[in-house]
Amino acid sequence: MLPFLERLLLRWEVYAPVRAGGGVEFTRLGRGGSICLDFPNSRIPPKSIFFPQKETMFRFEKDEQGFRVEPPRGLDRERILFGMRPCDVHAMALLDRVFGGGEFHDPYYLDKRKRSVIVTIGCNQPAATCFCSSTGSGPFSRTGADLFFTDIGESYVVDILTKKGGEVVEEGFLADASSEEVEKAERIASEAAKSLVSFVEVEGLEQSLDRMGESPFWARVSEKCTGCAICTFLCPTCHCFDMADEGGEFKGKRVRHWDSCLFPLFTQQASGHNPRPTGRERMRQRIMHKFNYFVKSFGEAACVGCGRCIIYCPVNFDIRKVIEGIKGQEVEWERSRKVDNRGGGFCARADETGERACGQSLSSHAGQGDRD
Ligand code: SF4
Ligand code: SF4
C-alpha cells in the first residue's frame, strides 16, 4: 500500500481498488492491505459505496409503548474514495442531482456523499471500450474530484482541487512536484486523450429519440438481450431501487435494493397489466432514460462512457452501436409514417429480416392480419 494511504487510515475510512473475485473492486482498506492501481476500471462501480446494492433504511419494533423506529447509524468516520476513475466521478455528479439536486433529498445517499473525499486517478491507458470523451468527461477530467493523481511512473503528481482535498494532503506527506514532473504528467494526459479511440456522437440523440417511440428499431436492438440486467446493475449512473420489509409484524427492518428497468416485474401492476410487456419496451426505456428523459431533467445524458455494459454483457450488446444506430433511424421512421397518395400509409414494423422498416403501403397488407 502507498505510505500516503497508510497514514490516512489513522483518521479516515479509506476505500480503494483491490484485486477480488477475478477483477478489481473498491473495498474498505485495513492496515497492510494491498491496493491495485493497474486496472482499466472496477467491475462494480464505486457508486455502491454511496448507494449500496442493499441498504437498511430503518429498523422498527413494536412493544407496549407502540412502534419505535430506529434510523440507521451514520458514518463513524469520514471517508476517502481513493483511485476513482474520472468517468465514475462524473457519474457521481449525475447521481448527486438525482438524489439531492431537486425537491426531494435522499438522506442515505447524501450523508455518505457529503462526508467523503474523492481522490481521482487519471487513466493513462484507456480501454478499447471507454468512450468517456463522448459523454462530457475524459481520461484526465478533473471535474468532481477533490484530489487528482497522475501516475508518472516513479511517483504521482497530485493536483489539489478543493479545500476538502487540501485537508487530506495536510494529513499526508507529499513533496512539491518539480516542473519536469508536472510536464511529464501533462504529456501523459495528452497521450491518453489521443489513445482514446472510441467516440460516439451523442449530440442530437434526445431529439432523434423524441420521434422514435414506436419505431421498429427497438424490436431489432432488443432481440438478443436476455434481460439479465447486468448492464444496469454495473452502470455507475443507474439508480433504480425497490423497497421491502424484512422480519416480522412487530420487529424488522425496511431495506432498499437495486432494481432494473430491464426486469419484467419492474413495471408489473397489481392488476396484472404491464405497460412494458416485452424486451422491446424495456430496452427502449433503458435507452430513452439515459439519452432523452435524463437530458430533459438534468441537462446531460445518464451515460459516462465507462464501457462496463459493453464488457460484461453476456450477449455482447454494445451501447455504442445502439447510439450510432439511432442516427438516421428517426428519418426512416418518419418517412415510413407519411401518408401515401392512395390515402394509406407505409408500414413501419420491422421487415422479415428485422433489419429495417417494412416500408410497404399499408393497403398492400390488407387482410394479412397482425404479424405480431
Ligand atoms: S447485460 Fe446485455 S443481455 Fe443483460 S440485460 Fe443488459 S443488454 Fe441485455
Ligand atoms: S450505459 Fe454503459 S457505458 Fe454508459 S455509463 Fe452505463 S455502463 Fe457505462
Side-chain angles (χ1 to χ4, degrees), residues 224-232 260 262 283 286 309 312-317:
K224 70 177 180 178
C225 170
T226 65
C228 69
I230 286 174
C231 53
T232 49
S260 169
L262 291 169
M283 183 57 76
R286 176 185 170 215
C309 59
Y312 296 106
C313 173
V315 295
N316 297 324
F317 185 96

Side-chain angles (χ1 to χ4, degrees), residues 154-188:
E154 60 286 357
S155 58
Y156 292 88
V157 169
V158 180
D159 292 355
I160 303 166
L161 300 167
T162 65
K163 189 163 166 268
K164 252 185 183 179
E167 286 165 13
V168 173
V169 171
E170 277 173 19
E171 296 290 321
F173 40 4
L174 302 181
D176 285 342
S178 67
S179 56
E180 290 77 25
E181 287 171 323
V182 173
E183 274 168 30
K184 188 169 180 187
E186 285 167 358
R187 202 164 53 247
I188 287 170

Side-chain angles (χ1 to χ4, degrees), residues 131 231 234-237 286 290 302-309 319:
F131 57 103
C231 53
L234 298 186
C235 176
T237 69
R286 176 185 170 215
K290 292 204 168 297
C303 171
V304 294
C306 72
R308 286 183 178 91
C309 59
I319 199 165

